[in-house]
Amino acid sequence: MSTIWQLLEEHRAKTAEVPILSLFQDEGRFDDFSAEQDELLLDFSKTSLDSTALDLLVQLTESVQLEEKIDALFRGDPINTTEGRAVLHTALRAQADTPILLDGKDVLLGVRDTLARMEQFAQDIHSGRITAADGGSFTDVINIGIGGSDLGPAMATLALAPYHTGPRCHFVSNVDGAHVHDTLQNLDPRRTLVIIASKTFTTIETMTNGNTALVWLREALGDKATEHLTAVSTALDKTTAFGIAPDRVFGFENWVGGRYSLWGPIGLPILLAIGSDSFRQFLQGAAAMDDHFRTAPMRVNLPVLMGLVGIWHNNICGYGSRAVLPYDQHLQRLPAYLQQLDMESNGKQVAQDGTPLPRASGPVVWGEPGTNGQHAFYQLLHQGTAVVPAEFLIAAEGHSPELAHHHQLLKANCLAQSEALMCGRSNAEATVVASERGFEGDERERMAAHLSFPGNRPSTTIAYPKLTPFVLGQIIALYEHRVFTEGAIWGLNSFDQWGVELGKELAVALLPMVDGAPSDGKDGSTSGLLDKLSQNTAKQT
């Protein structure tokens, strides 16, 4: 494998000065450097990859036995090696009846039983069979969770806004009291259902917000407040103690990681918002991408290709960041969702065996929807000193036919940005522009430097017909499997998150000090900050 890495680096050194635009002298480049699955197109032709580089990257997948690792993922092998767990979120959306055995038991039986319970619950909320304490309908739902219990369902519920048929959904995650306060103050507790999503029912942020919501409900409903509660948790003893009836609790197994969990009970708010038919289509889209990932050859496999482009940019070109740029307002939370999916999964420094990784792992993932980002940070993308590969997403058709001219402008902007990143503007061209703007002599040359664009900046584009539930399922599963591909090549465990733990542990220990206990043993900065915050708090009281 080290030889392949060396060959990739040597090839990059030979071709680094070749402009991406010049690669299109090959008239078949677009067809050769794009791939499609059920009308979802991945175009990676605007990158510096050529056939030699792509062949070497495919060889890299063979050297790490990627196909075998994909099989192990779907088979339910304990590939989460630090926790001894299988990774079977794909079972939550499986469409075939082929058993998925874990410890000799078919996990599909439990998955489908839980899905049926969720669907019945949603249908009963929609039909009015399940009512609020006063017999009226629930008009609003608050989902209280954090991390994977918030980012996924919040992102998908917003993404599928055109398909909403149920109550309005709101999401509370931050332990900052402003989040729950600002959400509750605009809602009527008599019309609101509260979902508390925490596998262990001990997550401190979630339970703090959950208790605040319970107080809010009790002020309006008294002893009937618990009739407005639902939980997504496996801790039935704790949910019962909280006052939630067992038939209002939806659990899931430890082989579903938080950031991969929106396909099951964590997705309850999505189901409540869009109904069973659309939710099923959402699962079908993801399952179609699963089948593609399992069966398509590496050279035309969308998640694998996205992973290989990521490896090329991160490890071979040295680009340590990537921007996710959905030209779809409904996908405005996708960059935040992918930050967790990617950075929590692959933000690791050791391999599966605990040895240090020999090369960079997960890059920084960030972004905003277009065209907003164009007026914020695209300046850096086009003319900054750092090269940031861009990942564009665009639909052929929007959801507002009466505003089709808006969508045409949106598409033009998306395509123009990827073109501009690649083509740039030479100094000679910029000099002409400066002349047209009335600059002459030395001033013209000075302005030309400001008006030129280096270009040769890579991007990929994911294009799809329309953002339907099926397509959203495809997109999310595509990114999940891209993360898996990159993690497999780096040799790390993409399914644990020990880096989340230390700060949480220290926060528990610090809380008494924030409340005024001595800060003995803390470093000078932490002690100084505690003192300063305490002084400022005293001034406000």
Side-chain angles (χ1 to χ4, degrees):
M1 184 170 67
S2 59
T3 302
I4 299 175
W5 285 108
Q6 183 178 349
L7 290 173
L8 281 164
E9 291 165 357
E10 290 172 353
H11 183 68
R12 171 61 179 171
K14 292 176 184 177
T15 60
E17 301 304 317
V18 175
I20 296 171
L21 184 60
S22 71
L23 299 175
F24 284 88
Q25 293 173 6
D26 176 359
E27 294 182 358
R29 179 168 176 81
F30 176 80
D31 291 334
D32 291 342
F33 289 82
S34 65
E36 192 169 354
Q37 185 264 324
D38 282 351
E39 297 187 291
L40 184 80
L41 173 76
L42 170 66
D43 169 29
F44 58 105
S45 62
K46 290 193 184 80
T47 70
S48 58
L49 281 171
D50 59 14
S51 296
T52 300
L54 188 55
D55 288 344
L56 286 169
L57 287 166
V58 170
Q59 290 178 40
L60 191 61
T61 69
E62 296 167 357
S63 71
V64 300
Q65 299 180 308
L66 180 60
E67 288 189 15
E68 289 83 351
K69 290 179 178 179
I70 293 171
D71 289 341
L73 167 73
F74 285 94
R75 195 166 53 233
D77 291 3
I79 62 173
N80 179 352
T81 54
T82 63
E83 297 177 296
R85 295 175 181 173
V87 178
L88 278 174
H89 52 276
T90 54
L92 298 177
R93 65 237 190 174
Q95 299 298 301
D97 292 326
T98 305
I100 301 175
L101 299 178
L102 187 63
D103 298 327
K105 297 179 180 179
D106 183 4
V107 302
L108 283 181
L109 301 177
V111 165
R112 292 182 175 168
D113 178 68
T114 300
L115 177 57
R117 287 184 59 227
M118 290 167 58
E119 289 181 320
Q120 187 62 58
F121 181 72
Q123 290 166 11
D124 289 345
I125 293 288
H126 288 194
S127 69
R129 196 179 79 81
I130 292 179
T131 65
D134 63 3
S137 299
F138 286 112
T139 60
D140 294 271
V141 173
I142 302 172
N143 185 83
I144 298 177
I146 197 165
S149 299
D150 169 76
L151 284 165
M155 177 275 293
T157 300
L158 177 60
L160 298 177
Y163 298 89
H164 285 196
T165 59
R168 295 180 293 268
C169 289
H170 315 267
F171 295 85
V172 171
S173 55
N174 200 330
V175 76
D176 184 344
H179 200 181
V180 67
H181 172 272
D182 292 353
T183 302
L184 297 181
Q185 72 172 352
N186 295 315
L187 298 176
D188 181 354
R190 296 167 300 176
R191 302 272 73 83
T192 303
L193 177 72
V194 175
I195 302 171
I196 301 175
S198 170
K199 184 183 288 189
T200 62
F201 227 61
T202 59
T203 309
I204 190 166
E205 298 95 337
T206 299
M207 298 317 300
T208 300
N209 284 324
N211 278 296
T212 297
L214 180 57
V215 169
W216 176 71
L217 290 172
R218 280 178 173 158
E219 288 174 351
L221 304 172
D223 293 341
K224 293 186 176 182
T226 55
E227 296 180 25
H228 286 230
L229 294 177
T230 298
V232 178
S233 178
T234 58
L236 281 174
D237 56 337
K238 293 182 174 63
T239 57
T240 299
F242 203 82
I244 304 174
D247 63 352
R248 294 280 189 94
V249 179
F250 301 89
F252 55 101
E253 301 296 334
N254 65 9
W255 37 259
V256 180
R259 55 193 176 277
Y260 298 91
S261 61
L262 79 168
W263 314 103
I266 288 293
L268 183 60
I270 311 172
L271 176 56
L272 286 167
I274 66 176
S276 294
D277 290 345
S278 291
F279 192 76
R280 290 265 180 172
Q281 293 167 25
F282 176 58
L283 299 181
Q284 289 163 10
M289 186 59 71
D290 291 343
D291 290 342
H292 173 78
F293 185 49
R294 291 185 74 172
T295 61
M298 299 287 106
R299 185 59 181 76
V300 293
N301 189 308
L302 268 66
V304 172
L305 289 170
M306 279 193 76
L308 295 181
V309 170
I311 294 290
W312 173 256
H313 286 156
N314 188 17
N315 297 115
I316 307 304
C317 300
Y319 307 146
S321 168
R322 54 185 172 227
V324 178
L325 309 171
Y327 275 65
D328 196 317
Q329 185 64 16
H330 288 130
L331 288 177
Q332 62 181 280
R333 293 291 290 161
L334 182 67
Y337 170 76
L338 294 179
Q339 280 179 344
Q340 186 198 24
L341 177 65
D342 202 320
M343 295 169 72
E344 193 168 83
S345 294
N346 288 343
K348 311 289 172 60
Q349 62 182 348
V350 297
Q352 292 267 14
D353 61 4
T355 59
L357 292 174
R359 54 188 55 86
S361 60
V364 175
V365 178
W366 57 284
E368 278 287 319
T371 58
N372 292 7
Q374 293 176 200
H375 295 268
F377 53 78
Y378 278 39
Q379 170 64 47
L380 183 146
L381 297 184
H382 285 289
Q383 292 185 313
T385 55
V387 175
V388 180
E391 299 180 2
F392 295 95
L393 295 95
I394 184 67
E397 180 184 355
H399 283 280
S400 305
E402 72 280 10
L403 299 175
H405 60 293
H406 282 255
H407 198 75
Q408 295 296 91
L409 182 58
L410 185 74
K411 287 191 287 187
N413 270 274
C414 179
L415 299 181
Q417 290 299 324
S418 65
E419 181 184 15
L421 284 168
M422 177 178 68
C423 296
R425 179 193 282 159
S426 69
N427 188 263
E429 293 168 331
T431 300
V432 173
V433 173
S435 294
E436 292 171 346
R437 296 184 182 183
F439 296 101
E440 299 178 353
D442 291 344
E443 189 66 4
R444 180 182 63 189
E445 297 307 311
R446 184 181 73 85
M447 285 305 300
H450 291 279
L451 294 170
S452 63
F453 292 72
N456 206 39
R457 303 204 163 189
S459 68
T460 58
T461 300
I462 296 171
Y464 44 93
K466 191 175 186 176
L467 188 61
T468 63
F470 184 91
V471 167
L472 181 64
Q474 286 179 289
I475 290 171
I476 298 172
L478 169 63
Y479 273 98
E480 286 180 347
H481 296 321
R482 183 259 198 97
V483 166
F484 177 86
T485 296
E486 292 182 340
I489 290 172
W490 289 319
L492 52 79
N493 181 3
S494 297
F495 301 103
D496 60 9
Q497 55 279 331
W498 299 108
V500 178
E501 299 300 319
L502 179 57
K504 292 165 63 176
E505 294 169 8
L506 293 176
V508 173
L510 272 165
L511 184 57
M513 300 176 196
V514 173
D515 288 334
S519 58
D520 297 342
K522 288 297 177 183
D523 62 89
S525 172
T526 302
S527 294
L529 289 167
L530 284 165
D531 290 343
K532 190 64 176 178
L533 289 169
S534 177
Q535 292 168 19
N536 288 336
T537 300
K539 290 177 183 178
Q540 303 301 317
T541 57

